[in-house]
Amino acid sequence: MKKITFLIFAAIIAACTPKVNDLATATAVDVNIDLVEVNNDKVHVVTNPGRFTTETVNFHIPKTVPGTYSNNNYGKFVENVTAYDYDNKPMQVSAVDENTWSIANATHLDRLEYDVNDSFDTETEYEEPVFSPAGSNIEANENYFLNLHMFVGYFDDLKERPYQLTFSYPAGFKSATSLEKVETKKENTDTFIANRYFEVTDNPVMYSRPDSQSFTVNDIEVTLSVYSPSKIYSASSIKNEMEKMMKAQKTFLGAINATKKYHILLFLGDMGEGAPTGFGALEHHTSTTVVLPETMPKEALVETMTDVVSHEFFHIVTPLSVHSEEIQYFDYNDPKMSQHLWMYEGVTEYFANLFQINQGLIDQNEFYNRIVGKVQNSKRYDDEMSFTNMSKNILVAPYKENYANVYEKGALIGMCLDLIIREQSNGEKGILWLMKRLSEEYGVDKPFKDEELLEKIVALTYPEVETFFNTHVVGDTPIPYEDYFSKVGLTLDSGMAPCGFFLNGQIPFIDVNPQTKAVFVRNTELNTSMEEIGLQTGDIIKSVNGKAFTIEAIRDVVISSMAWQADTALNLVIERDGEEITLEGKVGIPQVEKTQLIEVESAPDEQVQLRNVWLKG
């Protein structure tokens, strides 16, 4: 209120002198975001930092943000940056780089104004687009999906100052966010408070017509907010499944508590022009953003939500509760990365699968198949790369090309540690026990020193853990997974296993010719259903059940295929050696020969007992 009063007064008396208590170092940064007057999918932002006493200040939009592990240069979405003095006259602003602007004569700076473009519309324009759950959608009078690191920046030395964020929004809309709201009497206006800049970037906001459902998981209030453009899904249509899943997670976690409220912001894209294509989720302390295609069958949607939301929710353990100084004091424009992605992402991904078998959401065969899939997928990356060295350098080549291995080998590192600790403690302890101990030792506001974590873990556990770290995590020796499976009476074997018609897990049977844009069958071992209907490697698939199989339609068709049943009729028009051929038949049950993890019938009792406590203890 003081700033608003002051600005009105300044407009009347041009020579007004700012008040002493209006110093930038003693007042909240005041940010106004206009979601009503939207032009060409751009919103206008006004930032008032208070009065500076230095002659030059820099304004920054993040280069990267926690959880993305990539340099996205969010400043490229900011346009028309203009500074105004206390006489409402434009001031000189110079672009230092893509994410930084310098303002001269900063003692006269009253406010900064700029426009922000959304990222969903531009994903096809960049070689490395912003991951959709970390991006934004600006669709006037329809939906505003706002990761605030794209809209709100910070001034030199003011990252620890409070922020007051005010949104004006269309009538009938409602916000979904974990930000703390303060009372305002202005209609169609929300005002939120953040204690520091990190809280701004850590709390996404979605504005749309209300579609939310809330439920309680122990003492955590969970709110699910859904935007489905064609109204195929609603929050109520998937609430029960999400509630069941998150209650199972909390039962698995036990006493670990890092938040009293949690928001799930689900954006479902319609797969049309300008729709997002980077499907997945991004974690925050008290919320997660999820972007998925609206065309997914419900069973596939629920399964995917279970996997990705559980992964993000488990981040309340690490890195949100257990993290290094690099994360606690994150530098948005010159980031120093931690060496422990094996824990932040790997252990989190391991928990996201282990809790499902532990709580009876999946059976043992499904869990085994997921573990084997991660073993096979991990071989697609550099298996002789030090994981800690990769993590420390994850923003640059050749390490960044191996990032996705944190969800494969990273999870397997978590599994191996779990089995070591289980074996050495006679089944009494595991990696969940370890993470609870680390949460007690550290916590949300107490980071660890990056170079001291492994030593701390070894001190809490066993010498065998140190050997494993030195050999397979810090060291570059590939993990002999058979040795760890044998501890619990399991072994690897070959056999037929089900798969999708177009996808074998994450590996497609099809590809796109970059020159002709034609969709063709890859030169790989085909599944049984492809062979039975008559497909061959190299075939160009022109249509599927009457729908043109183009590069634009490929996601829609592949996602729709997830709902096919064994007796679903299939009509494929293909081109082979220049000749057009029609193939017809039933989908059947696609299978491929896979390495499988099986239980050894003659396994000793102690191995079986250890397996049982590993999976169900």
Side-chain angles (χ1 to χ4, degrees):
M1 289 296 294
K2 285 184 178 179
K3 286 205 181 72
I4 295 173
T5 302
F6 171 70
L7 290 174
I8 295 172
F9 190 61
I12 299 172
I13 304 175
C16 175
T17 302
K19 296 178 181 179
V20 173
N21 64 2
D22 201 37
L23 288 175
T25 54
T27 187
V29 178
D30 190 9
V31 181
N32 287 265
I33 300 176
D34 185 355
L35 303 180
V36 178
E37 298 297 328
V38 175
N39 295 304
N40 195 25
D41 287 353
K42 298 172 188 174
V43 300
H44 192 66
V45 180
V46 180
T47 300
N48 186 340
R51 179 168 61 90
F52 289 103
T53 57
T54 54
E55 287 300 319
T56 302
V57 298
N58 290 322
F59 175 74
H60 310 270
I61 293 289
K63 179 180 183 179
T64 186
V65 292
T68 59
Y69 308 106
S70 62
N71 288 325
N72 288 117
N73 296 306
Y74 297 102
K76 63 175 173 274
F77 297 97
V78 174
E79 302 175 0
N80 306 319
V81 179
T82 307
Y84 292 91
D85 64 17
Y86 289 101
D87 294 328
N88 204 36
K89 294 180 180 178
M91 299 173 60
Q92 180 181 346
V93 178
S94 303
V96 177
D97 56 39
E98 199 165 22
N99 307 294
T100 306
W101 294 263
S102 179
I103 299 110
N105 299 318
T107 54
H108 297 281
L109 176 65
D110 176 33
R111 68 190 188 279
L112 198 67
E113 300 191 16
Y114 50 88
D115 299 316
V116 183
N117 196 6
D118 66 359
S119 65
F120 285 6
D121 286 349
T122 61
E123 287 183 354
T124 58
E125 298 177 13
Y126 298 104
E127 184 176 346
E128 296 185 33
V130 172
F131 179 46
S132 300
S136 60
N137 182 61
I138 302 170
E139 195 171 353
N141 297 308
E142 182 64 27
N143 173 269
Y144 307 88
F145 183 85
L146 312 174
N147 275 287
L148 296 182
H149 55 258
M150 298 189 65
F151 298 85
V152 183
Y154 62 93
F155 292 87
D156 291 338
D157 303 321
L158 295 187
K159 281 193 294 184
E160 298 305 308
R161 296 304 306 157
Y163 274 70
Q164 177 175 289
L165 310 173
T166 299
F167 296 83
S168 56
Y169 56 86
F173 276 49
K174 188 176 181 180
S175 63
T177 183
S178 290
L179 279 169
E180 180 183 353
K181 186 183 291 189
V182 297
E183 186 177 350
T184 177
K185 295 181 180 179
K186 190 174 181 180
E187 191 176 11
N188 298 327
T189 300
D190 284 336
T191 298
F192 302 97
I193 294 294
N195 291 318
R196 60 189 182 112
Y197 184 68
F198 172 78
E199 288 190 10
V200 175
T201 64
D202 192 46
N203 286 280
V205 182
M206 182 166 72
Y207 275 92
S208 57
R209 291 172 181 82
D211 187 2
S212 297
Q213 292 283 316
S214 295
F215 51 89
T216 301
V217 178
N218 290 12
D219 56 349
I220 302 174
E221 183 183 6
V222 179
T223 301
L224 169 66
S225 297
V226 174
Y227 171 69
S228 179
S230 300
K231 304 297 186 291
I232 295 175
Y233 293 104
S234 65
S236 61
S237 69
I238 58 174
K239 173 195 170 185
N240 291 341
E241 290 84 354
M242 292 300 97
E243 183 174 4
K244 177 182 177 182
M245 179 267 291
M246 296 190 77
K247 284 184 174 179
Q249 280 187 275
K250 195 64 181 68
T251 301
F252 174 81
L253 280 176
I256 294 181
N257 285 309
T259 181
K260 291 295 184 183
K261 59 182 178 179
Y262 199 84
H263 275 71
I264 303 168
L265 310 183
L266 173 60
F267 182 102
L268 296 172
D270 61 7
M271 304 303 294
E273 184 179 354
T277 58
F279 303 130
L282 180 66
E283 82 276 4
H284 303 81
H285 274 74
T286 57
S287 61
T288 183
T289 51
V290 187
V291 177
L292 293 172
E294 190 183 38
T295 52
M296 293 183 78
K298 183 177 180 180
E299 183 179 354
L301 176 68
V302 169
E303 181 180 348
T304 303
M305 285 285 287
T306 298
D307 290 340
V308 300
V309 174
S310 64
H311 176 100
E312 305 310 329
F313 184 72
F314 276 126
H315 274 305
I316 68 173
V317 180
T318 184
L320 305 181
S321 292
V322 183
H323 56 265
S324 69
E325 292 175 338
E326 285 79 0
I327 292 177
Q328 180 77 15
Y329 310 113
F330 191 81
D331 189 328
Y332 296 91
N333 286 76
D334 187 19
K336 308 297 186 295
M337 306 307 289
S338 169
Q339 61 184 306
H340 299 300
L341 276 174
W342 67 268
M343 182 178 71
Y344 304 140
E345 295 295 342
V347 170
T348 300
E349 175 66 7
Y350 175 59
F351 281 163
N353 287 276
L354 181 64
F355 99 95
Q356 294 189 55
I357 174 65
N358 181 274
Q359 295 296 308
L361 301 184
I362 59 175
D363 61 23
Q364 291 181 202
N365 287 332
E366 173 62 20
F367 179 73
Y368 296 157
N369 288 338
R370 293 184 182 195
I371 293 298
V372 171
K374 290 187 179 301
V375 172
Q376 295 174 327
N377 291 340
S378 71
K379 304 302 182 184
R380 297 160 57 192
Y381 304 96
D382 188 343
D383 201 29
E384 297 183 350
M385 178 179 284
S386 162
F387 225 79
T388 51
N389 192 37
M390 179 190 79
S391 300
K392 194 74 176 175
N393 299 281
I394 199 66
L395 297 178
V396 298
Y399 306 100
K400 69 177 183 179
E401 288 81 8
N402 286 267
Y403 168 71
N405 205 18
V406 301
Y407 304 106
E408 312 296 348
K409 187 174 181 177
L412 296 170
I413 289 172
M415 178 197 73
C416 292
L417 286 171
D418 198 11
L419 293 175
I420 293 171
I421 297 170
R422 288 286 185 190
E423 181 182 49
Q424 296 302 312
S425 67
N426 294 317
E428 293 182 4
K429 302 173 183 176
I431 197 168
L432 180 58
W433 167 87
L434 171 64
M435 297 310 299
K436 288 180 178 180
R437 287 295 306 272
L438 292 174
S439 296
E440 294 167 0
E441 177 75 17
Y442 302 106
V444 174
D445 297 317
K446 183 184 176 183
F448 58 77
K449 290 189 178 298
D450 211 52
E451 66 277 8
E452 296 179 358
L453 177 66
L454 299 186
E455 182 180 338
K456 179 68 176 179
I457 290 175
V458 171
L460 289 170
T461 56
Y462 306 96
E464 289 79 3
V465 170
E466 181 177 29
T467 301
F468 177 80
F469 278 141
N470 290 341
T471 307
H472 303 300
V473 182
V474 178
D476 55 13
T477 302
I479 299 173
Y481 296 108
E482 276 276 26
D483 293 351
Y484 294 91
F485 294 141
S486 67
K487 294 178 186 293
V488 287
L490 299 175
T491 189
L492 293 171
D493 197 8
S494 294
M496 299 303 292
C499 63
F501 189 88
F502 291 113
L503 294 174
N504 179 16
Q506 297 180 9
I507 303 172
F509 292 106
I510 55 176
D511 206 343
V512 177
N513 185 312
Q515 280 75 44
T516 64
K517 308 299 183 184
V519 181
F520 66 93
V521 180
R522 295 178 60 217
N523 185 17
T524 185
E525 179 185 357
L526 302 186
N527 62 61
T528 53
S529 292
M530 285 183 146
E531 291 177 340
E532 288 170 5
I533 205 168
L535 280 170
Q536 299 178 13
T537 60
D539 285 350
I540 297 172
I541 305 178
K542 308 196 73 165
S543 71
V544 177
N545 287 344
K547 183 169 185 175
F549 204 25
T550 61
I551 188 172
E552 292 81 12
I554 192 169
R555 284 190 178 88
D556 195 15
V557 174
V558 171
I559 291 169
S560 297
S561 73
M562 295 177 182
W564 289 350
Q565 303 298 314
D567 60 351
T568 298
L570 196 56
N571 179 292
L572 303 177
V573 176
I574 67 165
E575 181 181 320
R576 181 185 299 162
D577 299 327
E579 181 183 357
E580 192 170 283
I581 303 172
T582 298
L583 303 177
E584 294 183 320
K586 301 289 186 180
V587 170
I589 301 176
Q591 292 183 308
V592 291
E593 186 174 1
K594 282 186 178 180
T595 300
Q596 294 178 303
L597 192 58
I598 61 173
E599 298 176 355
V600 179
E601 291 184 7
S602 58
D605 289 345
E606 60 268 23
Q607 292 183 0
V608 175
Q609 291 170 3
L610 193 63
R611 181 204 308 156
N612 291 337
V613 76
W614 169 47
L615 299 177
K616 296 293 186 178

